[in-house]
Amino acid sequence: MTLRTLLVLGDGLPRQLERLSPRVEVVHAGPPGAASLADELPGADVLLVWDFTSDAVRDAWPAGDAPVPAWVHTASAGVDRLIFPGLVDSPSVLTNARGVFEQPIAEYVAGWVLAMAKDFPGTWRLQQRHDWRHRETMRVAGSRAVVVGSGPIGRACGVTLAALGVGVELVGRTGRDGDPDFGRVHAADALSGLLPGADWVVCAAPLTDSTRGMFDAAAFGRMKSSARFVNVGRGPLVVTADLVEALTAGRIAGAALDVFESEPLAADDPLWDVPGLLVSPHMSADTFGWRDALAEQFLDNFERWSAGRPLLNVVDKRLGYVPVG
């Protein structure tokens, strides 16, 4: 059997990779990664991007006709850090971690919706002051949500919100009827007409050239003043200054962000103190055991690759995501 070379980018190797020994040579390119990665990439059969927050692959990718890995896998749902001309134009197959993060993110979104509807942050602040203050809160059942992103994460968010009695409109790149969960998936150009009727706007779209900055002053201006916005997609999907202005001016009632244009947020970043904004440190998908799930998913796909069977979760590099169906 020909010895395969697996190159891993990240701080520490998943312990499950020991199961590949002795038929696979595992090479570690740890942080900062780019220098050693550039030396090792031409000799690798497979690249596992375990540190999916790194831009080292873009910086180290071989130029010209130099050898490249046959397969690149990222331990993330988003692939925007890997959609650069060298990799897109190469013969390398790109796969992602679709299937691991969907339900945890959907639960996180549902938690945020409930927290904002029931003013749990306000209750906690009042408790800290020992202030018994009765209030009325919003009923979630019967409210309306627009979920942007018709991939697995967006779909899971929509299904979970629907279980709470929320009416859900799902928006994807292209429209289609006969959807088993939502009846209809709206095309992206329908979003502007859907925003005025939404109590909740959930962004779970992939980051592409067409979606970058899609939530701007015009989008927030179409929402009603009682609407809340949630982003679990990618930070650059939102024009942050426009969101801050919308919240500060009371154009929308609140927002929750788990992703940001620049991460991590500095301790003195003004976003921490924006009124009506909930901030969390890119953790909506990260439940106990999530790294083990990522490693097992990769190993399953590695066995498929070794046996010459089709890989799962193949990304269309021109679109920037795994096509539905």
Side-chain angles (χ1 to χ4, degrees):
M1 179 184 296
T2 303
L3 182 67
R4 305 287 194 178
T5 301
L6 168 62
L7 178 61
V8 184
L9 172 65
D11 186 8
L13 299 178
R15 57 181 176 77
Q16 289 88 344
L17 296 184
E18 297 173 359
R19 302 208 305 258
L20 297 177
S21 180
R23 58 194 175 100
V24 176
E25 179 186 8
V26 179
V27 179
H28 183 207
S36 59
L37 190 66
D39 293 335
E40 301 290 352
L41 266 171
D45 296 300
V46 178
L47 171 64
L48 169 58
V49 185
W50 190 246
D51 179 5
F52 50 82
T53 67
S54 172
D55 288 315
V57 177
R58 181 188 299 266
D59 298 333
W61 193 256
D65 296 327
V68 295
W71 169 32
V72 177
H73 177 79
T74 179
S76 62
V79 297
D80 45 284
R81 293 182 183 274
L82 298 173
I83 301 299
F84 56 88
L87 197 154
V88 169
D89 296 335
S90 77
S92 299
V93 176
L94 176 62
T95 60
N96 73 351
R98 173 177 173 170
V100 173
F101 297 122
E102 287 87 331
Q103 193 55 37
I105 292 177
E107 293 170 5
Y108 207 88
V109 168
W112 259 338
V113 166
L114 289 168
M116 288 188 282
K118 303 305 180 184
D119 191 28
F120 290 157
T123 297
W124 175 245
R125 288 191 295 270
L126 291 169
Q127 180 180 340
Q128 297 300 102
R129 301 202 300 263
H130 299 186
D131 185 352
W132 180 280
R133 188 181 305 175
H134 182 271
R135 290 109 63 220
E136 295 178 347
T137 61
M138 176 183 176
R139 184 173 178 176
V140 172
S143 64
R144 307 294 299 176
V146 171
V147 178
V148 183
S150 60
I153 292 175
R155 295 185 67 86
C157 290
V159 169
T160 302
L161 290 176
L164 295 174
V166 179
V168 177
E169 303 287 355
L170 187 66
V171 178
R173 187 174 65 92
T174 57
R176 58 187 181 274
D177 293 321
D179 185 88
D181 295 314
F182 304 98
R184 182 181 183 189
V185 176
H186 299 273
D189 59 9
L191 177 61
S192 61
L194 293 170
L195 289 176
D199 299 295
W200 315 99
V201 179
V202 178
C203 180
L207 178 61
T208 66
D209 290 341
S210 62
T211 61
R212 186 180 297 272
M214 67 185 301
F215 285 99
D216 56 8
F220 295 122
R222 293 187 185 97
M223 299 180 197
K224 53 189 179 182
S225 59
S226 58
R228 272 92 167 187
F229 174 74
V230 175
N231 187 18
V232 289
R234 283 291 184 266
L237 295 166
V238 178
V239 180
T240 304
D242 292 351
L243 173 61
V244 170
E245 195 279 333
L247 288 167
T248 303
R251 303 189 205 286
I252 62 173
L257 301 179
D258 187 54
V259 288
F260 303 86
E261 292 182 85
S262 179
E263 298 181 10
L265 285 187
D268 60 351
D269 194 296
L271 282 177
W272 292 108
D273 299 311
V274 173
L277 178 61
L278 300 176
V279 170
S280 69
H282 204 151
M283 60 180 283
S284 61
D286 302 343
T287 54
F288 299 122
W290 67 286
R291 292 180 179 84
D292 289 337
L294 288 172
E296 293 295 340
Q297 181 192 59
F298 170 74
L299 287 176
D300 289 344
N301 230 6
F302 190 92
E303 296 303 331
R304 297 178 68 90
W305 180 77
S306 297
R309 296 161 58 204
L311 288 167
L312 302 176
N313 295 352
V314 175
V315 173
D316 183 322
K317 294 186 289 184
R318 301 294 173 182
L319 296 177
Y321 54 86
V322 179
V324 176

